[in-house]
């Protein structure tokens, strides 16, 4: 079965550079969430969202956190951990949610979203291990980012 | 009551009133805004097959402009209405409403709000009907009549003490693994749980477990939330289509009824409406006017009519059910694969009797396994990747209890009309205040619910329980209560609005009390009863 890629010409047309930027961003987020690259259709929808819903950082800390996520790898892990617990309306969290929504609605990734994690009889242990790793990531992220977050909040340059 | 009978609104009450009138040999004209339902997509496909095979699945599930995407910061609901049901809540241009303490939802769709209902069909018992001018014995035949029309499935079990069983109920649907486990665990702990005042059983739902009247039984496609493609889950559009095939029925969609005109003898003479496209005025002579547009729109038509006649007034007594969403995790289901091919709406219900029958609290247990996961994943207080990994293991363990509370008529809760002026249209004003002491009563009851769930091995985190805004249940009622004897702007036992000679209200406006159960089945039965009673005179 062929999936049509249907990018639309919208009044808020994005530049080619911006489109490539979003494609790279989407690839990083998709790999981070489910470990696979998105399909061209999924990336087209991700870019489409930004045409019809222009979003950006709300403040300097939000921009900093999003910039950290752009490093991929450890940067994205730390940004995700921090935003999940301590900065829940952040731009990086919004984009991760958008990415997840597209992944869960379309093939082949919806199967990955639906499938229970490995663990079987030891599911509680694997979940606990996940939580411990997440706690470590959050601790590292908080040590690194919380002072900056507080600084921007105090100087009223944080957008949340 | 003379013909033509002009019915305003094509929702649950309008269509059943109309169907009954047609069966009685009467001539019916239905005026309706009637936004149409979009064509059904891939009617034989399961939800996951749709995801796999649609050309643009993201547009289908999230909307062309991602309008069904719930992003961080939107704390209102755990799930949004899908794009396929957007027509149910499409706004009517120029329809102005202002509310305080209330967040009303209106529908101008063909079939009305129940085009997006979850099918709960719970009859009111004698105790719950105490404030009504009739009891179970008088209403039962109409429950039976409606059950025959729409098809209801359910079972005789521990909830039968609160949900009287009546003829016309098909056997129950197949349960999902999760729901079956909950029921089984309850069965083992029944004595203890009942001692705490909780009862669990099968939902009564307007979904077919067997083929019925040309509609097919549920085939567990998992698409309930997105719109049943096979009409196994009844919606009023089924009855509307049935009426439209009748030679004595005239359906006029695309029309907004504004007000009616009446003479000095309080006889309604005509109804004035506006065509949605083009704005042309439409005037219809009437024999009998039946307002069945829902408590708020029907009240608006009445208030507008009175205002134009120099008799402006308010309508006190507005009611709605308070609803609380209580997500939970069934620890015994963690790590299990979820079933995409299962019935998605409430398979089980919870009954909690109170000191008086009207104090009964009603819970609907839904698993919503095919609802979109991103709204739920983002509620977990961890990073998105961790949240998704955890969620994949708890997906089939998730459940949601929708806890419903009764409401009572209070004069402080009322509707009024701000007349048109300076080129601005008139505006319906809604004022609602919760009952004093409600927060504490709810807190106590919700703590009991959490304890009940814990007894079944289910954890309901307190921080994830959310009270829906008042008005969210869309069970509006009480502004023109049915009374044996009452003053002007109450209704008699067959819905005739005093002091008018030929004006009938067939919708929730007429309810003098609002028990906790979903009221749509009772609305349909009452509309049928009103038609048989009022038109026979």
């Amino acid at each position: 079965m062929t999936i049509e890629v249907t990018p639309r010409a919208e009044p808020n047309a994005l530049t080619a550079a911006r489109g490539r930027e979003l494609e790279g961003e989407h690839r990083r987020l998709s790999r981070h969430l489910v470990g696979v690259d998105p399909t061209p259709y999924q990336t087209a929808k991700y870019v489409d969202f930004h045409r019809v819903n222009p979003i950006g950082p709300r403040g300097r800390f939000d921009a900093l956190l999003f910039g950290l996520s752009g490093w991929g790898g450890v940067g994205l892990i730390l940004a995700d951990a921090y935003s999940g617990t301590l900065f829940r309306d952040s731009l990086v969290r919004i984009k991760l949610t958008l990415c997840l929504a597209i992944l869960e609605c379309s093939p082949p990734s919806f199967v990955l979203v639906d499938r229970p994690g490995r663990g079987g009889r030891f599911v509680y242990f694997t979940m606990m291990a996940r939580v411990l790793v997440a706690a470590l990531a959050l601790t590292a992220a908080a040590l690194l980012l919380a002072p900056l977050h507080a600084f921007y909040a105090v100087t009223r340059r944080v957008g949340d | 009551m003379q013909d033509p009978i002009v019915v305003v609104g094509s929702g649950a009450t309008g269509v059943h009133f109309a169907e009954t009138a047609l069966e009685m040999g009467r001539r019916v004209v239905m005026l309706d805004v009637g936004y149409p339902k979009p064509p059904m997509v891939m009617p034989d496909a399961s939800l996951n097959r749709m995801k796999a095979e649609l050309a643009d699945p993201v547009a289908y599930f999230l909307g062309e402009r991602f309008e069904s995407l719930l992003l961080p910061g939107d704390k209102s609901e755990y799930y949004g209405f899908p794009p396929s049901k957007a027509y149910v809540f499409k706004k009517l241009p120029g329809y102005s409403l202002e509310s305080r303490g209330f967040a009303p939802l209106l529908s101008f769709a063909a079939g009305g709000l129940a085009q997006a209902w979850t099918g709960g069909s719970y009859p009111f018992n004698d105790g719950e009907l105490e404030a009504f001018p009739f009891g179970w014995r008088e209403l039962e035949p109409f429950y039976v009549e409606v059950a025959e029309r729409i098809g209801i499935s359910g079972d005789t079990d521990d909830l039968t003490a609160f949900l009287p069983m009546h003829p016309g109920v098909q056997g129950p649907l197949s349960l999902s693994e999760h729901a079956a486990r909950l029921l089984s665990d309850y069965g083992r702990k029944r004595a203890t749980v009942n001692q705490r005042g909780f009862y669990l059983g099968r939902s009564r739902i307007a979904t077919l477990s067997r083929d019925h009247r040309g509609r097919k039984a549920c085939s567990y496609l998992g698409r309930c939330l997105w719109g049943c493609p096979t009409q196994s889950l009844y919606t009023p559009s089924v009855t509307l289509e049935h009426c439209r095939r009748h030679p004595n029925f005239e359906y006029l969609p695309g029309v907004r009824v504004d007000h009616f005109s009446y003479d000095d003898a309080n006889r309604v003479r005509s109804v004035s409406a506006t065509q949605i496209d083009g704005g042309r005025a439409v005037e219809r002579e009437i024999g009998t006017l039946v307002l069945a547009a829902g408590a708020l729109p029907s009240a608006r038509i009445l208030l507008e009519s009175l205002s134009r006649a120099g008799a402006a007034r308010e309508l006190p007594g507005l009611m709605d059910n308070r609803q609380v969403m209580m997500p939970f995790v069934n620890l015994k289901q963690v790590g299990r694969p979820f079933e995409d091919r299962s019935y998605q709406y409430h398979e089980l219900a919870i009954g909690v009797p109170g000191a008086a029958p009207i104090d009964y609290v009603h819970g609907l247990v839904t698993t919503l396994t095919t609802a979109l996961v991103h709204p739920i994943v983002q509620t977990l207080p961890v990073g998105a990747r961790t949240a998704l990994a955890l969620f994949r293991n708890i997906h089939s363990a998730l459940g949601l209890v929708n806890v419903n509370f009764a409401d009572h008529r209070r004069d402080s809760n009322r509707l009024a009309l701000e007349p048109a002026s300076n080129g601005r249209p008139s505006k319906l004003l809604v004022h609602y205040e919760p009952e004093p002491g409600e927060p504490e009563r709810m807190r106590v009851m919700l703590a009991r619910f959490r304890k009940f769930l814990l007894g079944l091995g289910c954890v309901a985190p307190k921080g994830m329980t959310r009270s829906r805004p008042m008005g969210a249940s869309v069970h509006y009622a009480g502004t023109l209560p049915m009374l044996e004897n009452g003053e002007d702007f109450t209704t008699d036992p067959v819905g005739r609005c005093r002091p008018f000679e030929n004006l009938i209200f067939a919708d929730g406006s007429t309810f003098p009390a609002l028990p906790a159960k979903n009221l749509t089945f009772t609305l349909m039965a009452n509309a049928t009863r009103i038609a048989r009673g009022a038109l026979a005179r």
Side-chain angles (χ1 to χ4, degrees), chain B residues 291-299 315-317 319 409 415 476-482 491 505-512 519 523:
Chain B
L291 293 183
L296 298 190
S298 289
L315 294 175
M319 298 181 287
R409 295 188 75 244
L415 302 178
Y476 312 143
T479 46
L480 293 151
M482 276 186 293
T491 48
F505 282 78
D507 53 31
S509 309
T510 62
F511 280 28
L519 81 174
L523 283 173

Side-chain angles (χ1 to χ4, degrees), chain B residues 212-495:
Chain B
H212 182 71
R213 284 193 172 195
R215 288 162 49 216
K216 288 198 172 303
C218 180
S219 50
Y220 305 96
L221 296 177
R223 291 170 59 172
C224 317
L225 183 62
W226 310 93
C228 180
T230 57
Q231 291 190 332
S232 308
L233 169 58
Y234 170 84
T235 54
S237 57
V238 169
T239 306
L240 177 61
E241 287 311 307
H242 195 246
C243 289
R244 292 183 75 174
R245 292 197 285 270
H246 201 289
N248 284 349
F249 184 75
E250 184 184 359
Y251 179 59
L252 297 174
V255 166
R256 185 192 77 209
V257 171
D258 300 314
H259 65 277
F260 58 82
S261 301
Y262 58 98
D263 60 26
D264 291 340
N266 291 323
R267 183 164 183 83
V268 179
R269 291 295 179 190
S270 65
V271 69
S272 301
T274 308
Q275 276 192 335
I276 307 300
D277 289 331
R280 187 173 72 87
V282 174
E283 193 93 4
R284 289 292 289 235
E285 301 290 318
I286 65 106
T288 305
L289 180 61
V290 180
L291 293 183
L296 298 190
S298 289
R300 189 204 181 108
I301 293 169
L302 173 64
L303 292 171
E304 182 76 45
S305 309
L306 295 174
S307 177
R308 285 169 182 260
R313 62 173 292 120
E314 293 185 345
L315 294 175
L318 176 67
M319 298 181 287
D320 189 27
N321 293 120
R322 172 71 74 180
Q323 286 187 340
V324 178
M325 308 286 252
M326 180 179 283
F328 66 87
V329 175
N330 189 334
L331 299 176
K332 294 177 191 170
Q333 281 286 116
V334 173
R336 301 284 303 152
F338 83 89
E339 300 164 84
D340 60 302
R341 295 203 63 137
S342 58
Y343 186 70
Q344 292 299 305
Y345 285 139
H346 35 106
E347 300 175 87
L348 302 175
I350 301 168
V352 188
I358 195 66
D359 298 324
Y360 167 89
V361 176
H362 191 64
L364 307 171
V365 184
T366 305
T367 52
L368 278 180
T369 48
T370 62
L372 293 180
V373 306
H374 72 272
I376 308 172
V377 168
Q378 65 181 273
T379 65
L380 300 179
V382 293
R385 185 164 82 171
T386 303
L388 178 60
L390 295 174
F391 180 82
R392 285 164 60 196
N393 281 322
I394 63 173
H395 193 164
S396 79
L398 278 181
L400 182 73
V401 181
N402 187 337
V403 184
N404 284 251
F405 296 85
D407 198 6
H408 310 269
R409 295 188 75 244
R410 295 185 295 285
D411 286 347
S412 56
N413 301 336
R414 57 193 184 274
L415 302 178
L417 190 81
E418 183 182 282
S421 65
N422 298 328
R424 284 199 301 265
S426 62
K427 189 193 298 186
L428 184 67
L429 305 174
V430 183
H431 181 88
Y432 186 93
E433 297 168 9
E435 206 167 10
E438 182 194 69
E440 179 61 16
R441 276 196 301 277
M442 282 174 54
R443 188 192 65 76
V444 169
M445 180 56 68
L446 294 174
R448 290 180 62 197
F449 263 83
R450 275 192 286 274
K451 199 168 175 183
F452 158 73
L453 289 169
L454 198 59
L456 298 182
C458 301
V459 175
K462 197 173 175 185
M464 295 185 74
T465 297
R466 288 184 190 163
S467 284
R468 300 184 79 195
M470 207 63 211
S473 82
V474 216
H475 296 166
Y476 312 143
T479 46
L480 293 151
M482 276 186 293
L483 302 170
E484 279 289 355
N485 301 293
E487 296 177 350
D488 288 352
F489 307 106
T490 62
T491 48
D492 72 7
V494 290

